[in-house]
Amino acid sequence: MTSPNSLGAEPGSDLAGAVERVYDVFASYPLPRLLHSSPIEDAEAIFRAVSSDKLRQLSGEKLGTYAGSAIWTVGDVDDYRHFLPRVLELAIQGEPCMGFEPNVIAAKLERTSWRDWPSEEQQAVEALFQAAWRKTLTKHPDKGNAVPWLEGMVLAGMDVAAALAAWRESAYPEAMLHCADLITGNIKKLDKGRMIVSEQVTAWLLSESLALHLFTVAVEAPLRPDDRERLAWASETIENNLKLPGK
């Protein structure tokens, strides 16, 4: 297999640059003076938490309640744009609260009609999602799940073709482990011809070329025996599915 270091910039350096770009682009949105909310929320307590530290120093604990409720029941679009860089940065770090899940962030972006935002804001957010996706593909699935980033890109109408290309061309065998987990975790959906994430993604998951690639990585890559089995099983799952009537 190709060495990861032969592919130019490391995914981590791309991601760091994307994070800085998001902070720069959204720097014009100030900390709100107050937060409006539905009656079910304690807006004052949430505001005290999110205003208790500088944006880049806000912990997941302090930002978590806001991040989970933002747009749905707390704050407006410009409030969210102020906090968005830190929300995205904590999402990359794997902060466990609901508001930091990439697919949840994407749903909030859609709710705000983010495709009407200035182009530089859209580009900065999409570049970060793509960079976070590529970086997570370099990690073992036990250390981070890449799929929510892909789901987020689909939800927010981002370039899934570029994401699939990064997946297909990744020099990291861990990328295929994420693929294997997505396949084997959705066997019933595949067998019933149901869509997984998006039509584009499903078509790729059910391709002969992917089945061959998974098997090749299982044989050639320096992986644990159980990971080799995961890849081989995913390859076999694709092959079996392609043999089903009507496929």
Side-chain angles (χ1 to χ4, degrees):
M1 294 183 66
T2 305
S3 167
N5 294 329
S6 69
L7 297 184
E10 285 290 303
S13 62
D14 288 346
L15 182 54
V19 170
E20 292 304 318
R21 178 62 178 158
V22 168
Y23 272 106
D24 289 345
V25 167
F26 289 92
S28 62
Y29 296 96
L31 175 71
R33 295 187 177 184
L34 54 84
L35 290 171
H36 297 287
S37 75
S38 76
I40 66 171
E41 303 284 1
D42 187 344
E44 292 185 5
I46 294 173
F47 182 73
R48 285 196 300 271
V50 300
S51 60
S52 63
D53 214 335
K54 294 181 179 178
L55 181 62
R56 297 191 75 149
Q57 276 71 56
L58 280 175
S59 65
E61 182 180 1
K62 290 180 178 179
L63 192 55
T65 302
Y66 168 79
S69 302
I71 302 302
W72 312 135
T73 56
V74 175
D76 61 22
V77 175
D78 283 354
D79 297 338
Y80 195 59
R81 284 153 125 170
H82 169 77
F83 293 109
L84 184 57
R86 184 58 176 163
V87 169
L88 288 167
E89 187 174 28
L90 288 169
I92 291 165
Q93 295 172 9
E95 189 64 37
C97 295
M98 182 183 71
F100 302 111
E101 294 173 353
N103 45 3
V104 173
I105 296 169
K108 292 177 186 287
L109 291 174
E110 276 299 280
R111 182 70 174 268
T112 67
S113 300
W114 80 293
R115 285 306 192 186
D116 294 332
W117 295 1
S119 59
E120 66 173 2
E121 294 179 12
Q122 296 182 49
Q123 291 165 6
V125 171
E126 183 156 3
L128 185 143
F129 265 79
Q130 295 280 358
W133 161 250
R134 293 192 298 271
K135 175 60 178 177
T136 311
L137 289 178
T138 71
K139 301 178 181 178
H140 193 281
D142 294 348
K143 297 181 179 180
N145 187 2
V147 174
W149 290 103
L150 183 64
E151 292 173 338
M153 285 185 271
V154 171
L155 281 170
M158 299 181 191
D159 188 356
V160 182
L164 290 180
W167 206 354
R168 181 175 59 250
E169 297 164 8
S170 176
Y172 294 84
E174 291 82 2
M176 289 299 102
L177 290 175
H178 288 278
C179 184
D181 284 358
L182 182 59
I183 292 168
T184 55
N186 289 275
I187 292 175
K188 291 183 179 180
K189 287 185 179 181
L190 288 172
D191 289 348
K192 293 179 180 179
R194 293 173 60 185
M195 187 174 70
I196 299 175
V197 184
S198 77
E199 186 176 345
Q200 262 183 303
V201 174
T202 305
W204 183 60
L205 292 176
L206 291 177
S207 63
E208 186 72 36
S209 61
L210 178 59
L212 176 60
H213 185 51
L214 287 166
F215 183 77
T216 301
V217 175
V219 172
E220 296 182 357
L223 293 168
R224 302 180 325 215
D226 60 315
D227 286 336
R228 294 184 189 279
E229 290 179 7
R230 290 159 80 172
L231 293 174
W233 187 23
S235 178
E236 184 178 355
T237 298
I238 296 173
E239 295 284 2
N240 289 340
N241 195 278
L242 291 173
K243 295 174 184 177
L244 292 174
K247 297 295 180 69

